[in-house]
Coordinates of all heavy atoms in Angstrom, one line a residue:
V15 N -34.9 -2.3 -2.5 CA -33.9 -3.3 -2.3 C -33.4 -3.1 -0.9 O -33.1 -2.0 -0.5 CB -32.8 -3.2 -3.3 CG1 -31.8 -4.2 -3.1 CG2 -33.2 -3.3 -4.8
F16 N -33.5 -4.2 -0.1 CA -33.1 -4.1 1.2 C -32.6 -5.5 1.7 O -32.9 -6.6 1.2 CB -34.1 -3.6 2.2 CG -35.3 -4.4 2.3 CD1 -35.5 -5.3 3.3 CD2 -36.4 -4.3 1.3 CE1 -36.6 -6.1 3.4 CE2 -37.5 -5.1 1.5 CZ -37.6 -6.0 2.5
Q17 N -31.7 -5.5 2.8 CA -31.3 -6.7 3.4 C -32.3 -6.8 4.7 O -32.6 -5.9 5.4 CB -29.9 -6.5 4.0 CG -29.4 -7.7 4.8 CD -28.1 -7.4 5.5 OE1 -27.6 -6.3 5.3 NE2 -27.6 -8.3 6.4
G18 N -32.8 -8.1 4.7 CA -33.8 -8.3 5.8 C -33.7 -9.7 6.4 O -33.2 -10.5 5.8
R19 N -34.2 -9.7 7.7 CA -34.1 -11.1 8.4 C -35.6 -11.4 8.6 O -36.4 -10.6 9.1 CB -33.4 -10.9 9.7 CG -33.3 -12.3 10.4 CD -32.3 -12.2 11.6 NE -32.7 -11.2 12.6 CZ -33.5 -11.6 13.7 NH1 -33.8 -12.8 13.8 NH2 -33.8 -10.6 14.6
I20 N -35.9 -12.6 8.3 CA -37.2 -13.1 8.3 C -37.5 -13.6 9.8 O -36.8 -14.4 10.4 CB -37.4 -14.4 7.4 CG1 -37.1 -14.1 6.0 CG2 -38.9 -14.8 7.6 CD1 -37.9 -13.0 5.3
L21 N -38.5 -12.9 10.4 CA -38.8 -13.2 11.8 C -40.0 -14.2 11.9 O -40.0 -15.0 12.9 CB -39.2 -11.8 12.5 CG -38.2 -10.7 12.5 CD1 -38.8 -9.5 13.1 CD2 -37.0 -11.1 13.1
A22 N -40.9 -14.2 11.0 CA -42.1 -15.1 11.2 C -42.8 -15.2 9.7 O -42.5 -14.3 8.9 CB -43.2 -14.5 12.1
R23 N -43.5 -16.3 9.6 CA -44.3 -16.5 8.4 C -45.6 -17.0 8.7 O -45.8 -17.8 9.7 CB -43.5 -17.7 7.7 CG -44.3 -18.1 6.4 CD -43.5 -19.4 5.9 NE -44.5 -20.0 4.8 CZ -44.0 -21.0 4.0 NH1 -42.8 -21.4 4.1 NH2 -44.9 -21.4 3.1
R24 N -46.6 -16.6 7.9 CA -48.0 -17.0 8.2 C -48.8 -17.0 7.0 O -48.6 -16.1 6.0 CB -48.6 -16.0 9.2 CG -50.0 -16.2 9.6 CD -50.5 -15.3 10.5 NE -51.9 -15.6 10.8 CZ -52.7 -14.7 11.3 NH1 -52.4 -13.5 11.6 NH2 -54.0 -15.1 11.5
S25 N -49.6 -18.1 6.7 CA -50.4 -18.1 5.6 C -51.7 -17.3 5.8 O -52.4 -17.5 6.9 CB -50.7 -19.5 5.2 OG -49.6 -20.2 4.7
V26 N -52.1 -16.4 5.0 CA -53.3 -15.6 5.2 C -54.1 -15.8 3.8 O -53.7 -15.1 2.8 CB -53.0 -14.2 5.4 CG1 -54.2 -13.3 5.6 CG2 -52.1 -14.0 6.7
G27 N -55.2 -16.6 3.9 CA -56.0 -16.9 2.6 C -55.1 -17.5 1.6 O -54.5 -18.5 1.9
Q28 N -55.0 -16.9 0.4 CA -54.2 -17.4 -0.7 C -52.8 -16.8 -0.8 O -52.1 -16.9 -1.8 CB -55.0 -17.3 -2.0 CG -56.2 -17.9 -2.0 CD -56.1 -19.5 -2.0 OE1 -55.2 -20.0 -2.5 NE2 -56.9 -20.2 -1.1
E29 N -52.3 -16.1 0.3 CA -51.0 -15.4 0.3 C -50.3 -15.8 1.5 O -50.8 -16.4 2.4 CB -51.3 -13.9 0.3 CG -52.0 -13.4 -0.9 CD -52.2 -11.8 -0.8 OE1 -52.8 -11.5 0.1 OE2 -51.8 -11.2 -1.8
T30 N -48.9 -15.5 1.5 CA -48.1 -15.8 2.6 C -47.5 -14.4 3.1 O -47.2 -13.6 2.3 CB -46.9 -16.6 2.1 OG1 -47.4 -17.9 1.6 CG2 -45.9 -17.0 3.3
R31 N -47.6 -14.2 4.4 CA -47.2 -13.0 5.0 C -45.9 -13.2 5.8 O -45.9 -14.0 6.6 CB -48.1 -12.3 5.8 CG -47.8 -10.9 6.4 CD -48.8 -10.4 7.3 NE -48.7 -11.1 8.6 CZ -49.5 -11.0 9.7 NH1 -50.5 -10.2 9.5 NH2 -49.3 -11.6 10.8
Y32 N -44.8 -12.4 5.5 CA -43.5 -12.7 6.3 C -43.4 -11.4 7.1 O -43.6 -10.3 6.6 CB -42.4 -12.9 5.4 CG -42.3 -14.1 4.6 CD1 -42.8 -14.2 3.4 CD2 -41.8 -15.3 5.2 CE1 -42.8 -15.3 2.6 CE2 -41.8 -16.5 4.5 CZ -42.3 -16.5 3.3 OH -42.2 -17.7 2.5
E33 N -43.0 -11.5 8.4 CA -42.6 -10.5 9.2 C -41.2 -10.3 9.1 O -40.4 -11.2 9.3 CB -43.1 -10.6 10.7 CG -42.6 -9.4 11.5 CD -43.1 -9.5 12.9 OE1 -43.8 -10.5 13.3 OE2 -42.6 -8.6 13.7
V34 N -40.6 -9.1 8.6 CA -39.2 -8.9 8.2 C -38.6 -7.7 9.2 O -39.3 -6.7 9.1 CB -39.2 -8.6 6.7 CG1 -37.7 -8.4 6.3 CG2 -39.7 -9.7 5.9
E35 N -37.4 -8.0 9.6 CA -36.7 -6.9 10.2 C -35.9 -6.3 9.1 O -34.9 -7.0 8.5 CB -35.8 -7.5 11.2 CG -35.0 -6.5 11.9 CD -34.0 -7.1 12.9 OE1 -33.9 -8.3 13.1 OE2 -33.2 -6.2 13.5
V36 N -36.0 -5.1 8.7 CA -35.3 -4.4 7.8 C -33.9 -4.0 8.4 O -33.9 -3.2 9.2 CB -36.0 -3.2 7.2 CG1 -35.2 -2.3 6.3 CG2 -37.3 -3.5 6.6
Q37 N -32.8 -4.6 7.9 CA -31.5 -4.4 8.4 C -30.8 -3.2 7.6 O -30.3 -2.3 8.3 CB -30.7 -5.7 8.5 CG -31.3 -6.7 9.4 CD -30.6 -8.0 9.4 OE1 -30.0 -8.5 8.4 NE2 -30.6 -8.6 10.6
T38 N -30.8 -3.3 6.4 CA -30.0 -2.3 5.6 C -30.9 -2.1 4.4 O -30.9 -2.9 3.5 CB -28.7 -2.7 5.2 OG1 -28.0 -3.2 6.4 CG2 -27.9 -1.8 4.5
P39 N -31.5 -0.9 4.2 CA -32.1 -0.5 3.0 C -31.0 0.0 2.0 O -30.2 0.8 2.4 CB -33.1 0.6 3.4 CG -32.5 1.2 4.7 CD -31.8 0.1 5.4
Y40 N -31.2 -0.3 0.8 CA -30.2 0.2 -0.2 C -30.8 1.0 -1.2 O -30.4 2.3 -1.2 CB -29.6 -1.1 -1.0 CG -28.7 -1.9 -0.1 CD1 -29.2 -3.1 0.4 CD2 -27.5 -1.4 0.3 CE1 -28.4 -3.9 1.3 CE2 -26.6 -2.2 1.1 CZ -27.1 -3.4 1.6 OH -26.4 -4.1 2.4
R41 N -31.8 0.7 -2.0 CA -32.4 1.5 -2.9 C -33.9 1.7 -2.5 O -34.5 0.6 -2.6 CB -32.2 1.0 -4.4 CG -32.8 2.0 -5.3 CD -32.4 1.6 -6.7 NE -33.1 2.5 -7.7 CZ -32.7 3.0 -8.8 NH1 -31.5 2.6 -9.2 NH2 -33.4 3.8 -9.5
R42 N -34.3 2.9 -2.3 CA -35.7 3.1 -1.8 C -36.4 4.0 -2.6 O -36.0 5.1 -2.8 CB -35.7 3.6 -0.3 CG -35.1 2.5 0.6 CD -35.3 3.0 1.9 NE -34.2 4.1 2.2 CZ -34.1 4.8 3.2 NH1 -34.8 4.5 4.4 NH2 -33.2 5.8 3.4
R43 N -37.5 3.7 -3.1 CA -38.5 4.6 -3.7 C -39.6 5.0 -2.8 O -40.5 5.8 -3.1 CB -39.0 4.1 -5.0 CG -37.8 3.8 -6.0 CD -38.4 3.4 -7.2 NE -37.2 3.1 -8.2 CZ -37.3 3.2 -9.4 NH1 -38.3 3.6 -10.1 NH2 -36.2 3.0 -10.1
F44 N -39.7 4.4 -1.6 CA -40.6 4.5 -0.6 C -40.0 4.3 0.6 O -39.0 3.6 0.8 CB -41.9 3.7 -0.8 CG -41.6 2.2 -1.2 CD1 -41.3 1.3 -0.1 CD2 -41.6 1.8 -2.4 CE1 -41.1 0.0 -0.4 CE2 -41.3 0.5 -2.7 CZ -41.0 -0.4 -1.6
P45 N -40.5 4.9 1.8 CA -39.9 4.7 3.1 C -40.1 3.3 3.7 O -41.3 2.6 3.5 CB -40.7 5.7 4.0 CG -41.9 6.2 3.3 CD -41.7 5.9 1.8
L46 N -39.2 2.8 4.3 CA -39.2 1.6 5.0 C -39.2 1.8 6.5 O -38.2 2.6 7.0 CB -38.2 0.6 4.6 CG -38.2 0.1 3.1 CD1 -37.0 -0.6 2.8 CD2 -39.4 -0.8 2.9
V47 N -39.8 1.0 7.3 CA -39.6 1.1 8.8 C -38.8 -0.1 9.2 O -38.5 -1.0 8.4 CB -41.0 1.1 9.5 CG1 -41.7 2.4 9.1 CG2 -41.9 0.0 9.3
A48 N -38.4 -0.1 10.6 CA -37.6 -1.2 11.1 C -38.3 -2.6 10.9 O -37.4 -3.6 10.6 CB -37.2 -0.9 12.5
R49 N -39.5 -2.7 11.0 CA -40.1 -4.0 10.7 C -41.2 -3.7 9.7 O -42.0 -2.9 9.9 CB -40.7 -4.6 12.0 CG -39.7 -5.0 12.9 CD -40.3 -5.9 14.0 NE -39.1 -6.3 14.9 CZ -39.3 -7.2 15.8 NH1 -40.4 -7.9 15.9 NH2 -38.2 -7.5 16.6
E50 N -41.3 -4.7 8.8 CA -42.2 -4.6 7.8 C -42.9 -6.0 7.5 O -42.4 -7.0 7.8 CB -41.7 -4.2 6.4 CG -41.2 -2.8 6.2 CD -42.2 -1.8 5.9 OE1 -43.4 -2.2 5.6 OE2 -41.8 -0.6 5.9
Y51 N -44.1 -6.0 7.0 CA -44.7 -7.2 6.5 C -44.5 -7.3 5.0 O -44.7 -6.3 4.3 CB -46.2 -7.2 6.7 CG -46.6 -7.4 8.1 CD1 -47.4 -6.6 8.9 CD2 -46.2 -8.7 8.8 CE1 -47.7 -6.7 10.2 CE2 -46.5 -8.8 10.1 CZ -47.3 -7.9 10.8 OH -47.6 -8.1 12.1
L52 N -44.1 -8.5 4.5 CA -43.7 -8.7 3.1 C -44.7 -9.8 2.7 O -44.8 -10.9 3.2 CB -42.3 -9.2 3.0 CG -41.8 -9.5 1.6 CD1 -41.7 -8.3 0.8 CD2 -40.4 -10.2 1.7
W53 N -45.4 -9.5 1.7 CA -46.5 -10.4 1.1 C -46.0 -11.1 0.0 O -45.4 -10.5 -0.9 CB -47.8 -9.6 0.9 CG -48.4 -9.1 2.1 CD1 -48.1 -7.9 2.7 CD2 -49.4 -9.7 2.8 NE1 -48.8 -7.7 3.9 CE2 -49.7 -8.8 3.9 CE3 -50.2 -10.8 2.7 CZ2 -50.7 -9.1 4.9 CZ3 -51.1 -11.1 3.6 CH2 -51.4 -10.2 4.8
V54 N -46.3 -12.4 -0.2 CA -46.1 -13.2 -1.4 C -47.4 -13.8 -1.9 O -48.2 -14.2 -1.1 CB -45.0 -14.4 -1.0 CG1 -44.8 -15.2 -2.2 CG2 -43.7 -13.8 -0.5
P55 N -47.7 -13.6 -3.1 CA -49.1 -13.9 -3.7 C -49.2 -15.3 -3.9 O -49.9 -15.8 -4.8 CB -49.2 -13.2 -4.9 CG -47.9 -13.0 -5.4 CD -47.0 -12.9 -4.2
N56 N -48.7 -16.3 -3.0 CA -49.0 -17.7 -3.0 C -48.8 -18.3 -1.7 O -48.2 -17.6 -0.8 CB -48.1 -18.4 -4.1 CG -46.7 -18.2 -3.8 OD1 -46.3 -18.6 -2.7 ND2 -45.9 -17.7 -4.8
T57 N -49.1 -19.6 -1.5 CA -48.9 -20.2 -0.3 C -47.9 -21.5 -0.5 O -47.8 -22.2 0.5 CB -50.2 -20.7 0.3 OG1 -50.9 -21.6 -0.5 CG2 -51.1 -19.5 0.8
C58 N -47.3 -21.5 -1.6 CA -46.5 -22.7 -1.9 C -45.2 -22.7 -1.3 O -44.3 -23.6 -1.3 CB -46.4 -23.0 -3.3 SG -45.4 -21.7 -4.3
G59 N -44.7 -21.5 -0.7 CA -43.4 -21.4 -0.2 C -42.4 -20.9 -1.2 O -41.3 -21.2 -1.1
C60 N -42.9 -20.3 -2.3 CA -42.0 -19.8 -3.3 C -42.0 -18.3 -3.3 O -43.0 -17.7 -3.3 CB -42.4 -20.2 -4.8 SG -42.7 -22.0 -4.9
P61 N -40.9 -17.7 -3.1 CA -39.5 -18.2 -2.9 C -39.4 -18.8 -1.5 O -40.1 -18.3 -0.6 CB -38.6 -17.0 -3.1 CG -39.5 -15.8 -2.7 CD -40.9 -16.2 -3.1
P62 N -38.5 -19.7 -1.4 CA -38.2 -20.3 0.0 C -37.5 -19.4 0.9 O -36.3 -19.4 0.9 CB -37.5 -21.6 -0.3 CG -36.8 -21.2 -1.5 CD -37.6 -20.3 -2.4
L63 N -38.3 -18.7 1.8 CA -37.7 -17.8 2.8 C -37.9 -18.5 4.2 O -39.0 -18.8 4.5 CB -38.4 -16.5 2.8 CG -38.3 -15.7 1.5 CD1 -39.1 -14.4 1.6 CD2 -36.9 -15.5 1.0
R64 N -36.7 -18.8 4.8 CA -36.9 -19.5 6.1 C -36.8 -18.5 7.3 O -36.1 -17.5 7.2 CB -35.8 -20.6 6.2 CG -34.5 -20.1 6.4 CD -33.5 -21.3 6.6 NE -32.2 -20.9 6.6 CZ -31.5 -20.2 7.5 NH1 -32.2 -19.9 8.6 NH2 -30.2 -19.8 7.4
E65 N -37.5 -18.9 8.3 CA -37.5 -17.9 9.5 C -36.1 -17.9 10.1 O -35.4 -19.0 10.2 CB -38.6 -18.5 10.6 CG -40.0 -18.2 10.2 CD -40.9 -18.7 11.2 OE1 -40.5 -18.6 12.5 OE2 -42.0 -19.3 10.8
G66 N -35.6 -16.8 10.4 CA -34.2 -16.5 11.0 C -33.2 -16.4 9.9 O -32.1 -16.0 10.2
G67 N -33.6 -16.6 8.7 CA -32.6 -16.4 7.5 C -32.6 -15.0 7.2 O -33.5 -14.1 7.3
T68 N -31.3 -14.5 6.6 CA -31.2 -13.1 6.1 C -31.1 -13.1 4.7 O -30.4 -14.0 4.1 CB -29.9 -12.6 6.7 OG1 -30.0 -12.6 8.2 CG2 -29.7 -11.1 6.5
Y69 N -31.8 -12.2 4.0 CA -31.9 -12.2 2.6 C -31.7 -10.8 2.0 O -32.0 -9.9 2.7 CB -33.3 -12.7 2.2 CG -33.5 -14.1 2.5 CD1 -34.0 -14.4 3.8 CD2 -33.3 -15.2 1.7 CE1 -34.3 -15.8 4.2 CE2 -33.4 -16.5 2.0 CZ -34.0 -16.7 3.3 OH -34.2 -18.1 3.7
L70 N -31.3 -10.8 0.8 CA -31.4 -9.5 -0.1 C -32.7 -9.7 -0.7 O -33.0 -10.6 -1.5 CB -30.2 -9.5 -1.0 CG -30.2 -8.2 -1.9 CD1 -30.0 -7.0 -1.1 CD2 -29.0 -8.4 -2.9
L71 N -33.6 -8.7 -0.6 CA -35.0 -8.6 -1.2 C -35.2 -7.4 -2.0 O -34.9 -6.3 -1.6 CB -36.0 -8.7 0.1 CG -35.8 -9.9 1.0 CD1 -36.5 -9.6 2.4 CD2 -36.4 -11.2 0.4
M72 N -35.9 -7.7 -3.1 CA -36.3 -6.5 -4.0 C -37.8 -6.8 -4.1 O -38.4 -7.6 -4.8 CB -35.7 -6.7 -5.4 CG -36.0 -5.6 -6.3 SD -35.5 -5.8 -8.0 CE -33.8 -6.3 -7.7
A73 N -38.5 -5.9 -3.3 CA -39.9 -5.9 -3.3 C -40.5 -4.6 -3.9 O -39.7 -3.6 -4.0 CB -40.4 -6.1 -2.0
R74 N -41.8 -4.5 -4.2 CA -42.4 -3.3 -4.7 C -43.6 -3.0 -3.8 O -44.1 -3.8 -3.1 CB -42.8 -3.4 -6.1 CG -44.0 -4.3 -6.4 CD -44.4 -4.3 -7.8 NE -45.6 -5.1 -8.0 CZ -46.8 -4.4 -8.2 NH1 -46.9 -3.1 -8.1 NH2 -47.8 -5.2 -8.3
R75 N -43.9 -1.7 -3.8 CA -45.0 -1.3 -2.9 C -46.2 -1.5 -3.7 O -46.4 -1.0 -4.9 CB -44.7 0.3 -2.7 CG -45.8 0.9 -1.8 CD -45.9 0.4 -0.3 NE -44.8 0.8 0.4 CZ -44.6 0.4 1.6 NH1 -45.3 -0.4 2.2 NH2 -43.6 0.8 2.4
H76 N -47.3 -2.1 -3.1 CA -48.5 -2.3 -3.8 C -49.6 -1.5 -3.1 O -49.8 -1.7 -1.9 CB -48.9 -3.7 -3.8 CG -50.2 -4.1 -4.3 ND1 -51.2 -4.5 -3.4 CD2 -50.7 -4.2 -5.6 CE1 -52.3 -4.7 -4.1 NE2 -52.0 -4.5 -5.4
V77 N -50.3 -0.6 -3.9 CA -51.4 0.2 -3.4 C -52.6 -0.1 -4.3 O -52.5 0.0 -5.5 CB -51.1 1.7 -3.4 CG1 -52.3 2.5 -2.9 CG2 -49.7 1.9 -2.6
N78 N -53.7 -0.5 -3.7 CA -54.8 -0.8 -4.5 C -55.6 0.4 -5.0 O -55.2 1.6 -4.6 CB -55.9 -1.7 -3.7 CG -56.5 -1.0 -2.5 OD1 -56.2 0.1 -2.2 ND2 -57.5 -1.6 -2.0
H79 N -56.5 0.4 -5.8 CA -57.2 1.5 -6.5 C -57.8 2.4 -5.4 O -57.9 3.6 -5.7 CB -58.3 1.1 -7.5 CG -57.5 0.3 -8.7 ND1 -56.7 1.0 -9.6 CD2 -57.6 -0.9 -9.1 CE1 -56.2 0.2 -10.4 NE2 -56.8 -1.0 -10.2
E80 N -58.5 1.9 -4.3 CA -59.1 2.7 -3.4 C -58.1 3.3 -2.4 O -58.5 4.0 -1.6 CB -60.1 1.8 -2.6 CG -61.2 1.2 -3.5 CD -60.8 0.0 -4.1 OE1 -59.9 -0.7 -3.8 OE2 -61.5 -0.4 -5.2
H81 N -56.8 3.0 -2.4 CA -55.7 3.5 -1.6 C -56.1 3.1 -0.2 O -55.7 3.7 0.8 CB -55.7 5.0 -1.6 CG -55.1 5.4 -3.1 ND1 -54.0 5.4 -3.3 CD2 -55.8 5.9 -4.1 CE1 -53.7 5.7 -4.5 NE2 -54.8 6.1 -5.1
T82 N -56.7 1.9 0.0 CA -56.9 1.3 1.4 C -55.9 0.3 1.7 O -55.9 -0.2 2.8 CB -58.4 0.8 1.5 OG1 -58.6 -0.2 0.5 CG2 -59.4 1.8 1.2
L83 N -55.2 -0.2 0.8 CA -54.2 -1.2 1.0 C -52.9 -0.7 0.5 O -52.7 -0.4 -0.7 CB -54.6 -2.5 0.2 CG -53.8 -3.7 0.3 CD1 -53.8 -4.3 1.7 CD2 -54.3 -4.8 -0.6
N84 N -51.8 -0.7 1.4 CA -50.5 -0.3 1.1 C -49.5 -1.2 1.6 O -49.5 -1.3 2.9 CB -50.3 1.1 1.6 CG -49.0 1.8 1.2 OD1 -48.2 1.1 0.7 ND2 -48.9 3.0 1.5
R85 N -48.9 -2.2 0.9 CA -48.1 -3.2 1.4 C -46.9 -3.5 0.5 O -46.9 -3.0 -0.6 CB -48.9 -4.4 1.7 CG -49.5 -5.0 0.4 CD -50.5 -6.0 0.8 NE -50.8 -6.7 -0.5 CZ -51.5 -7.9 -0.5 NH1 -51.6 -8.5 0.5 NH2 -51.8 -8.4 -1.5
L86 N -45.8 -4.1 1.0 CA -44.7 -4.6 0.3 C -45.1 -5.9 -0.4 O -45.6 -6.8 0.4 CB -43.5 -4.8 1.2 CG -42.7 -3.6 1.7 CD1 -41.6 -4.0 2.5 CD2 -42.1 -2.9 0.5
L87 N -44.8 -6.1 -1.6 CA -45.2 -7.2 -2.3 C -44.0 -7.8 -3.0 O -43.3 -7.1 -3.7 CB -46.2 -6.9 -3.4 CG -46.8 -8.1 -4.3 CD1 -47.5 -9.1 -3.3 CD2 -47.7 -7.5 -5.3
L88 N -43.7 -9.1 -2.8 CA -42.6 -9.8 -3.4 C -43.3 -10.7 -4.5 O -43.8 -11.7 -4.1 CB -41.8 -10.6 -2.4 CG -40.7 -11.4 -3.1 CD1 -39.6 -10.6 -3.6 CD2 -40.0 -12.3 -2.0
Q89 N -43.2 -10.3 -5.8 CA -43.9 -11.2 -6.7 C -43.1 -12.4 -7.0 O -42.0 -12.6 -6.6 CB -44.0 -10.2 -8.0 CG -44.7 -9.0 -7.8 CD -44.8 -8.1 -9.1 OE1 -43.8 -7.6 -9.4 NE2 -46.0 -7.9 -9.6
D90 N -43.8 -13.2 -7.8 CA -43.3 -14.5 -8.2 C -41.8 -14.3 -8.9 O -40.9 -15.2 -8.7 CB -44.2 -15.4 -9.0 CG -45.6 -15.7 -8.4 OD1 -45.4 -15.9 -7.1 OD2 -46.5 -15.9 -9.1
D91 N -41.7 -13.4 -9.7 CA -40.4 -13.1 -10.3 C -39.5 -12.1 -9.6 O -38.6 -11.6 -10.1 CB -40.7 -12.6 -11.8 CG -41.5 -11.2 -11.7 OD1 -42.0 -10.9 -10.8 OD2 -41.5 -10.7 -12.8
G92 N -39.9 -11.9 -8.3 CA -39.1 -10.9 -7.5 C -37.8 -11.6 -7.1 O -37.6 -12.7 -7.2
Y93 N -36.9 -10.7 -6.7 CA -35.5 -11.1 -6.2 C -35.5 -11.3 -4.8 O -35.8 -10.4 -4.0 CB -34.6 -9.9 -6.7 CG -33.1 -10.3 -6.5 CD1 -32.5 -11.0 -7.7 CD2 -32.3 -10.0 -5.4 CE1 -31.1 -11.3 -7.6 CE2 -31.0 -10.4 -5.4 CZ -30.4 -11.0 -6.4 OH -29.1 -11.3 -6.4
A94 N -35.0 -12.5 -4.3 CA -34.9 -12.9 -3.0 C -33.7 -13.9 -3.0 O -33.9 -15.0 -3.3 CB -36.2 -13.5 -2.4
R95 N -32.6 -13.5 -2.5 CA -31.5 -14.3 -2.4 C -30.9 -14.3 -1.0 O -31.0 -13.3 -0.2 CB -30.3 -13.8 -3.3 CG -30.6 -13.7 -4.8 CD -30.6 -15.1 -5.3 NE -30.8 -15.1 -6.8 CZ -31.9 -15.2 -7.4 NH1 -33.0 -15.3 -6.7 NH2 -32.0 -15.2 -8.7
P96 N -30.3 -15.4 -0.5 CA -29.7 -15.6 0.8 C -28.7 -14.5 0.9 O -27.8 -14.3 -0.1 CB -29.2 -17.0 0.9 CG -30.1 -17.9 -0.1 CD -30.3 -16.8 -1.2
W97 N -28.5 -13.9 2.0 CA -27.4 -12.8 2.2 C -26.1 -13.5 2.3 O -26.0 -14.3 3.1 CB -27.9 -12.0 3.5 CG -26.9 -10.9 3.7 CD1 -25.9 -10.9 4.5 CD2 -26.7 -9.7 2.8 NE1 -25.2 -9.6 4.4 CE2 -25.7 -9.0 3.3 CE3 -27.4 -9.3 1.7 CZ2 -25.3 -7.7 2.7 CZ3 -27.1 -8.1 1.2 CH2 -26.1 -7.2 1.8
T98 N -25.2 -13.1 1.6 CA -23.8 -13.5 1.7 C -22.9 -12.3 1.5 O -23.2 -11.2 1.1 CB -23.4 -14.4 0.5 OG1 -23.6 -13.7 -0.7 CG2 -24.4 -15.7 0.5
P99 N -21.6 -12.3 1.9 CA -20.7 -11.2 1.8 C -20.6 -10.9 0.2 O -20.4 -9.7 -0.1 CB -19.3 -11.7 2.3 CG -19.8 -12.8 3.3 CD -20.9 -13.4 2.7
R100 N -20.7 -11.8 -0.7 CA -20.7 -11.5 -2.1 C -21.8 -10.6 -2.4 O -21.7 -9.6 -3.3 CB -20.7 -12.8 -3.0 CG -20.7 -12.5 -4.4 CD -20.9 -13.9 -5.2 NE -20.8 -13.6 -6.6 CZ -21.9 -13.5 -7.3 NH1 -23.0 -13.4 -6.7 NH2 -21.8 -13.2 -8.6
E101 N -23.1 -10.9 -2.0 CA -24.1 -10.1 -2.3 C -24.0 -8.8 -1.8 O -24.3 -7.7 -2.4 CB -25.4 -10.7 -1.5 CG -26.0 -11.9 -2.1 CD -26.6 -11.9 -3.5 OE1 -27.0 -10.7 -4.0 OE2 -26.7 -12.8 -4.2
E102 N -23.4 -8.5 -0.6 CA -23.1 -7.2 0.0 C -22.1 -6.5 -1.0 O -22.4 -5.2 -1.3 CB -22.5 -7.3 1.4 CG -22.2 -6.0 2.0 CD -21.7 -6.0 3.3 OE1 -21.5 -7.0 3.8 OE2 -21.6 -4.9 3.9
R103 N -21.2 -7.1 -1.5 CA -20.2 -6.5 -2.4 C -20.8 -6.0 -3.7 O -20.7 -4.9 -4.2 CB -19.1 -7.3 -2.6 CG -17.9 -6.7 -3.6 CD -16.7 -7.7 -3.8 NE -17.1 -9.1 -4.0 CZ -17.4 -9.6 -5.2 NH1 -17.5 -8.9 -6.2 NH2 -17.7 -10.9 -5.3
L104 N -21.8 -6.9 -4.2 CA -22.4 -6.6 -5.4 C -23.4 -5.3 -5.3 O -23.4 -4.5 -6.2 CB -23.1 -7.8 -5.9 CG -22.3 -8.9 -6.4 CD1 -23.2 -10.1 -6.9 CD2 -21.4 -8.6 -7.8
V105 N -24.1 -5.4 -4.2 CA -25.0 -4.3 -3.9 C -24.2 -2.9 -3.7 O -24.7 -1.9 -4.3 CB -25.8 -4.6 -2.7 CG1 -26.7 -3.4 -2.3 CG2 -26.9 -5.8 -3.0
R106 N -23.1 -3.0 -3.0 CA -22.4 -1.8 -2.8 C -21.8 -1.2 -4.1 O -21.7 -0.1 -4.3 CB -21.3 -2.0 -1.7 CG -22.0 -2.4 -0.5 CD -21.5 -1.4 0.6 NE -21.9 -1.9 2.0 CZ -23.0 -1.3 2.6 NH1 -23.5 -0.2 2.1 NH2 -23.3 -1.7 3.8
E107 N -21.3 -2.2 -4.9 CA -20.8 -1.7 -6.2 C -21.9 -1.1 -7.1 O -21.7 -0.1 -7.8 CB -20.2 -2.8 -6.9 CG -18.8 -3.3 -6.3 CD -18.2 -4.5 -6.9 OE1 -18.7 -5.1 -8.0 OE2 -17.2 -5.0 -6.4
A108 N -23.1 -1.7 -7.2 CA -24.1 -1.2 -8.0 C -24.6 0.1 -7.5 O -25.1 0.9 -8.2 CB -25.3 -2.3 -7.9
A109 N -24.6 0.3 -6.1 CA -25.1 1.6 -5.5 C -24.2 2.7 -6.0 O -24.8 3.9 -6.2 CB -25.0 1.5 -4.0
R110 N -23.1 2.5 -6.4 CA -22.1 3.6 -6.9 C -22.6 4.0 -8.2 O -22.4 5.2 -8.6 CB -20.7 3.1 -6.9 CG -20.1 3.0 -5.6 CD -18.6 2.7 -5.8 NE -18.2 1.7 -4.8 CZ -17.4 0.7 -4.9 NH1 -16.8 0.6 -6.1 NH2 -17.1 -0.1 -3.9
H111 N -23.2 3.1 -9.0 CA -23.7 3.6 -10.4 C -25.1 3.9 -10.4 O -25.5 4.5 -11.5 CB -23.4 2.3 -11.3 CG -22.0 1.8 -11.2 ND1 -21.0 2.5 -11.9 CD2 -21.3 0.8 -10.8 CE1 -19.8 1.9 -11.7 NE2 -20.0 0.8 -11.0
C112 N -25.9 3.7 -9.4 CA -27.3 4.0 -9.5 C -27.7 5.3 -8.7 O -27.1 5.6 -7.8 CB -28.1 2.9 -8.9 SG -28.0 1.3 -9.8

């Protein structure tokens, strides 16, 4: 779970790749760097992430069987909400319990 700003969007084959500036990581099970690529397994624009927008994103690390592919994946049922002060309050409150 992290707060990130969308820098760019690009369709690659049947997927969409977003370049994201990681602003605040909250809950991490793997390391994040300042800029990451976030992959969405479709090209329909779902979830609708606009360039320049800031979001609260819940993605998972996807590693293939050969361990040659290691990337952040935002699944169709993943969490992507526009960043608001309310979201920040909810995340901070949840962090106390997790």
